[in-house]
Amino acid sequence: MSPRTRSVASTGRPRSANQDLSARLNAHFQAENDVRRGVCLLNAGRYDEAAVAFSRAAAHERNSAPLASYMAACCSAKGETSAAVEHFSKAVERDDKDVTARIRHGLALWTDGREEESIEALRAAVAVTPESAELHFQLGTLLANRGQYEEAELRFTQARNLDRNHTEALMGLAMCCGIRNAPDEAVEHLQRAQTRRPDDATIGLMLAQAAKATQQLGHAVGVRATMPKEGPEIDQRGIEELLTVIQNEPDFVGAFLSVPQDQIDPRVFSVLLSALQRALEHQPEHAELHYHCGQVLARLNRPHEAIEANERAVGIDPKHVRALIALAHLYRLVDRPREAAERLEEVVAAGVEYADVFCLLGHLYRERGQYGRARSAYHRALCINERYQDAREALATLPPDA
């Protein structure tokens, strides 16, 4: 679509794509609500009902995986595992104490179907770096997947001893306890894990199941689950995922902004804003990031801050057309029509001809009693798009002698 005919209100994003994104986000927030309900039921001792709520939340979470995680999964499904094994093997040769390379090498072997080699690779890594909790945990996970639960439990225990905050190791321990029919011990591990990660539906589900099993053995159960915090908080890993996608996918923020306001939770934009602000800490002279920040702030109904963000974008790049147009809308919103018109005049002076721009410019002139200029602007809009009904109707409202 050429600049002469393009509408600045158009997102170019298919309605079905918006609906899909909206559905995924709604599933995420439904999962959050189910987790909170599950915690309440756990604390009330209603373990069956709690398990149902957590199961529903876990299903939502699987169906609404973050875009970054989804993309990573797609990239890893290309059948290039043999090449990955060779790559990570060379990394280990360069530095046999590189824990990350060791783990990736072991997992690549597993993915390539070489399970025994995978386990032996991680055993060798543990021998070199025995103080790494993550190595013990990863080895325990592979052993558990092969049904070697006794040794797996030892590895999970070692991981927990090395890192008391290793939530996944606690979950692994709980699983092993359940397998050897010790649900009361599983409850203890899962209680600690749930306190550390109260918004995790899988932990909640495991805790409800372990509590129910303990109760069935005739043992007293006293679960005191922690309620997740309210608000748009996400962990560091989530922010970093968002940053990566924002930097690599130019249309990522626009995809969220294109969803109708009544179909998306405002918390989404609070999280996006946090990621953008983090990105700006590293790239303060990045005009596009400031513009995106302004768009998100506007969606959060913070127009004055949105104006500041877009002004920064224009300060860095005076011909940033989208920021100039955004400023015009924002200035009009806060009753600064003269400045709104000036920004649109800058867009026109830059040689950009959008029907929407001329129509909005006509509205601004008309509101200030500049009917001749308004008429000219509406005519320009209709020259670009003769079917532009808003411009045609506005033109008809002008005084005939203007």
Side-chain angles (χ1 to χ4, degrees), residues 331 335-345 364 368:
Y331 279 136
D335 198 26
R336 293 163 65 177
R338 181 183 59 79
E339 290 160 286
E342 288 172 354
R343 286 308 191 183
L344 291 183
E345 287 163 358
L364 291 166
R368 296 170 64 196

Side-chain angles (χ1 to χ4, degrees), residues 180-237:
R180 61 179 171 82
N181 200 30
D184 49 343
E185 293 180 44
V187 167
E188 291 181 19
H189 297 310
L190 291 167
Q191 182 89 64
R192 294 191 185 97
Q194 198 275 337
T195 299
R196 293 185 176 91
R197 221 155 62 198
D199 56 350
D200 191 308
T202 300
I203 295 174
L205 176 59
M206 291 175 68
L207 181 53
Q209 292 170 335
K212 176 67 174 179
T214 301
Q215 192 178 62
Q216 288 175 334
L217 290 175
H219 300 164
V221 188
V223 174
R224 288 293 176 268
T226 302
M227 184 65 71
K229 292 181 180 178
E230 292 191 68
E233 296 185 11
I234 63 172
D235 61 16
Q236 180 68 26
R237 186 184 304 173

Side-chain angles (χ1 to χ4, degrees), residues 154 161 358 389 393:
L154 291 174
N161 291 341
F358 283 109
Q389 193 61 29
E393 291 175 359

Side-chain angles (χ1 to χ4, degrees), residues 103-305:
I103 291 171
R104 288 176 175 172
H105 178 225
L107 297 182
L109 283 166
W110 183 278
T111 304
D112 201 37
R114 296 150 68 180
E115 296 183 4
E116 193 61 46
E117 289 180 66
S118 172
I119 288 174
E120 289 309 312
L122 290 185
R123 286 192 202 280
V126 166
V128 173
T129 316
E131 71 282 1
S132 169
E134 191 62 23
L135 274 174
H136 285 283
F137 166 72
Q138 295 291 347
L139 178 54
T141 300
L142 297 189
L143 288 164
N145 283 336
R146 295 199 73 189
Q148 297 171 240
Y149 299 114
E150 187 173 341
E151 186 183 353
E153 185 169 356
L154 291 174
R155 295 299 180 180
F156 291 137
T157 299
Q158 187 67 3
R160 181 206 58 188
N161 291 341
L162 289 165
D163 180 0
R164 306 296 294 184
N165 293 317
H166 202 303
T167 307
E168 288 80 7
L170 290 168
M171 294 170 69
L173 275 172
M175 177 196 65
C176 292
C177 290
I179 287 168
R180 61 179 171 82
N181 200 30
D184 49 343
E185 293 180 44
V187 167
E188 291 181 19
H189 297 310
L190 291 167
Q191 182 89 64
R192 294 191 185 97
Q194 198 275 337
T195 299
R196 293 185 176 91
R197 221 155 62 198
D199 56 350
D200 191 308
T202 300
I203 295 174
L205 176 59
M206 291 175 68
L207 181 53
Q209 292 170 335
K212 176 67 174 179
T214 301
Q215 192 178 62
Q216 288 175 334
L217 290 175
H219 300 164
V221 188
V223 174
R224 288 293 176 268
T226 302
M227 184 65 71
K229 292 181 180 178
E230 292 191 68
E233 296 185 11
I234 63 172
D235 61 16
Q236 180 68 26
R237 186 184 304 173
I239 286 286
E240 294 303 324
E241 280 190 349
L242 274 177
L243 279 176
T244 300
V245 179
I246 287 170
Q247 290 163 353
N248 295 329
E249 295 289 332
D251 296 329
F252 180 74
V253 176
F256 287 92
L257 291 165
S258 67
V259 179
Q261 191 153 352
D262 61 349
Q263 294 180 18
I264 196 165
D265 193 290
R267 287 173 289 183
V268 170
F269 296 103
S270 294
V271 170
L272 268 179
L273 182 61
S274 296
L276 288 166
Q277 290 172 333
R278 182 76 60 82
L280 281 167
E281 291 174 8
H282 302 291
Q283 302 179 74
E285 296 303 309
H286 197 299
E288 191 72 5
L289 286 175
H290 285 291
Y291 164 71
H292 283 317
C293 238
Q295 293 291 90
V296 173
L297 284 162
R299 191 67 177 260
L300 287 168
N301 198 28
R302 293 157 63 176
H304 296 287
E305 293 171 78

Side-chain angles (χ1 to χ4, degrees), residues 88-114:
F88 293 127
S89 177
K90 289 179 179 178
V92 171
E93 288 175 9
R94 288 193 297 270
D95 181 1
D96 66 353
K97 291 187 178 180
D98 184 338
V99 171
T100 300
R102 287 280 198 175
I103 291 171
R104 288 176 175 172
H105 178 225
L107 297 182
L109 283 166
W110 183 278
T111 304
D112 201 37
R114 296 150 68 180

Side-chain angles (χ1 to χ4, degrees), residues 286-288 290-291 308-318 320 323:
H286 197 299
E288 191 72 5
H290 285 291
Y291 164 71
E308 291 176 7
N310 280 293
E311 287 288 9
R312 283 192 288 271
V314 172
I316 296 165
D317 178 6
H320 197 300

